[in-house]
């Protein structure tokens, strides 16, 4: 039997918003994918690193989490989150990812959605997260994809990370094998990000005793492509990398 | 004390050959790197998949391997290998990587140098190799780097996988997230290769119960760059990916 996705109330609401151009690749790919990667959340204590305005909190509570703590470096974001949620199981706190050592309690599931690439010291982050997890605890994160974070675009291609040769589009790639700081333009602001190639990520994860559960580089479904054709670019160069780790 | 690499006899011989343009990135990066990744080889039984003319055999014997079997799909290569080596510890056999199930003995270290990307079924290869290893056995391989193997160059850029924008060179990347067959031109021949993105490689390795020891995406040393400046392109887009796995 075919699935009539258009009669799914949630999808249709998102579909309408998307037709108005308000849904991004984050909404359409990143958020659904990281949620698919979650283990059973019943009774689990959840910590989110870089929670922003707390958009994920209700998902975790609906899935049965006993407690959700959202942390973010931004006071504005945490204030907005606090104003949006009133639930005794949900709590928000201004906290930098660099300062996780101030947390004393443990969490069964620690997640981070598109924030890891703002942290300079990935090794320290792994150590801090490991300490906050019990055995069998999960660390699940998404980040901008390393093929993209490496590339340094010069003035001539600041606005476009691809080029057309003949009738085929190619993405511009450079500096993949030079880990470190990148300063990029985003909404006319300078944003600092940190690029780490795959081998650095994998080896740092393993040196910190995590078990790798899986990596994901998802592509959009045919359904999604019909309504947002631009996402076919995910077959050429994915925006996101997803990682699921476990403490054994 | 500074290292005078130019008075190292082996290096100087290679340096002279390189100045004549006869040493490739394989000689300068791939071969040294995969050898650096080897565990203690004393008394170990070694199997090489895709050994070509057997260039690695003497290295393993010098390092103390008790036995080396080189296998390759090419009769010509195996004949050349057999003619080049006369050592009771060394043996060569025409054998496709798809037919490893015909091997009955076990090997402590199984290596493959730039050949894995010719195999269509990486999952089956992992299963076959796993069966041939004892506990604590190693599977160490290099392959062409996934950023490169994915890209499909059209006629307009067949000869050049990069482009200059302003005064900076960028590599052309496409189709990274579409695993599968690629047909590429090499010395005026059509060669079939198989592209697998990082998440497919990692997840397949883990599903086959291997422990990941490390991944490597090496960059050339300053010394190497002085004598072969072209290799600075390894900082933009590496040619090779190296993987070390262990059976627990």
């Amino acid at each position: 039997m075919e699935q009539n996705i258009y009669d799914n109330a949630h999808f249709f609401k998102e579909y309408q918003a998307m037709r108005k151009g308000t849904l991004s690749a984050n909404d359409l790919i990143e958020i659904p994918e990281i949620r698919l990667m979650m283990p059973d959340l019943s009774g689990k204590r959840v910590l989110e690193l870089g929670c922003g305005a707390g958009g994920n909190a209700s998902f975790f509570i609906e899935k049965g989490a006993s407690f959700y703590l959202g942390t973010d470096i931004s006071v504005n974001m945490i204030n907005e989150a606090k104003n949006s949620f009133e639930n005794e199981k949900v709590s928000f706190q201004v906290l930098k990812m660099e300062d996780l050592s101030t947390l004393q309690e443990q969490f069964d599931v620690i997640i981070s959605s598109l924030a890891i690439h703002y942290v300079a010291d990935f090794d320290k982050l792994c150590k801090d997260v490991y300490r906050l997890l019990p055995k069998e605890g999960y660390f699940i994160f998404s980040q901008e994809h390393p093929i993209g974070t490496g590339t340094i675009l010069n003035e001539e291609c600041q606005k476009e990370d691809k080029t057309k040769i003949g009738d085929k589009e190619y993405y511009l790639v450079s500096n993949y094998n030079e880990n470190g700081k990148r300063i990029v333009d985003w909404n006319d602001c300078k944003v600092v990000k940190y690029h780490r190639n795959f081998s650095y990520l994998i080896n740092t994860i393993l040196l910190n005793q995590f078990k790798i559960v899986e990596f994901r580089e998802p592509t959009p479904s045919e359904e999604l492509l019909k309504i947002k054709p631009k996402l076919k670019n995910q077959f050429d160069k994915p925006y996101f990398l997803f990682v699921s780790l476990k403490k054994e």
Side-chain angles (χ1 to χ4, degrees), chain A residues 6 14 21 23 39 69 90 92 143-144 146 171 181 183 208 240:
Chain A
Y6 298 95
E14 301 237 319
L23 280 178
L69 171 62
V90 172
F92 294 100
Q143 61 156 68
E144 292 186 11
Y171 282 84
K181 192 189 273 196
I183 299 169
N208 281 292
F240 312 117

Side-chain angles (χ1 to χ4, degrees), chain A residues 2-12 15 223-224 227:
Chain A
E2 287 203 321
Q3 184 186 218
N4 179 357
I5 191 74
Y6 298 95
D7 284 341
N8 173 309
H10 173 75
F11 181 88
F12 192 68
Y15 170 76
E223 215 137 36
L224 198 51
I227 48 180

Side-chain angles (χ1 to χ4, degrees), chain A residues 68-235:
Chain A
Y68 167 94
L69 171 62
T71 61
D72 202 279
I73 195 174
S74 158
V75 178
N76 282 341
M77 286 288 191
I78 291 297
N79 282 341
E80 193 179 325
K82 283 180 175 171
N83 290 333
S84 309
F85 291 88
E86 278 196 50
N87 186 315
E88 59 186 11
K89 293 177 181 170
V90 172
S91 165
F92 294 100
Q93 184 179 333
V94 176
L95 184 70
K96 287 193 279 189
M97 277 198 271
E98 288 79 1
D99 294 339
L100 295 185
S101 55
T102 62
L103 291 176
Q104 292 311 315
E105 64 268 54
Q106 285 205 316
F107 298 88
D108 305 296
V109 179
I110 299 181
I111 80 143
S112 180
S113 186
L114 296 180
I116 296 286
H117 47 262
Y118 297 122
V119 176
D121 193 340
F122 181 65
D123 179 64
K124 179 178 182 298
L125 181 72
C126 285
K127 285 179 171 51
D128 286 341
V129 169
Y130 193 86
R131 189 183 57 80
L132 293 172
L133 290 172
K135 277 196 179 186
E136 304 296 311
Y138 282 87
F139 178 29
I140 298 172
F141 67 88
S142 64
Q143 61 156 68
E144 292 186 11
H145 196 280
I147 300 181
T149 54
T151 299
I152 297 173
L153 298 174
N154 59 7
E155 266 185 35
E156 289 83 353
C157 50
Q158 275 292 343
K159 297 287 173 201
E160 191 74 290
D161 63 348
K162 56 192 174 186
T163 189
K164 207 164 184 177
I165 297 188
D167 55 4
K168 189 169 163 69
E169 274 190 338
Y170 291 94
Y171 282 84
L172 303 171
V173 166
S174 73
N175 307 87
Y176 168 80
N177 239 0
E178 289 184 287
N179 293 331
K181 192 189 273 196
R182 298 289 189 275
I183 299 169
V184 296
D185 283 319
W186 193 26
N187 296 336
D188 294 325
C189 292
K190 299 283 180 198
V191 179
V192 173
K193 297 181 184 177
Y194 294 88
H195 167 65
R196 291 175 272 262
N197 62 9
F198 271 97
S199 51
Y200 182 85
L201 286 172
I202 294 165
N203 296 342
T204 306
I205 285 165
L206 296 173
L207 286 171
N208 281 292
Q209 313 303 323
F210 279 108
K211 181 193 167 185
I212 297 172
V213 178
E214 60 172 333
F215 274 55
R216 290 197 191 186
E217 297 162 299
T219 49
S221 65
E222 282 186 30
E223 215 137 36
L224 198 51
L225 281 177
K226 273 181 204 151
I227 48 180
K228 185 122 177 173
K230 192 199 158 199
L231 288 177
K232 74 177 191 309
N233 64 6
Q234 298 305 294
F235 290 99

Side-chain angles (χ1 to χ4, degrees), chain A residues 16-28:
Chain A
Q16 287 179 307
M18 191 169 42
R19 294 289 292 213
K20 292 179 194 152
T22 56
L23 280 178
S24 67
N26 290 19
D27 302 313
L28 296 168

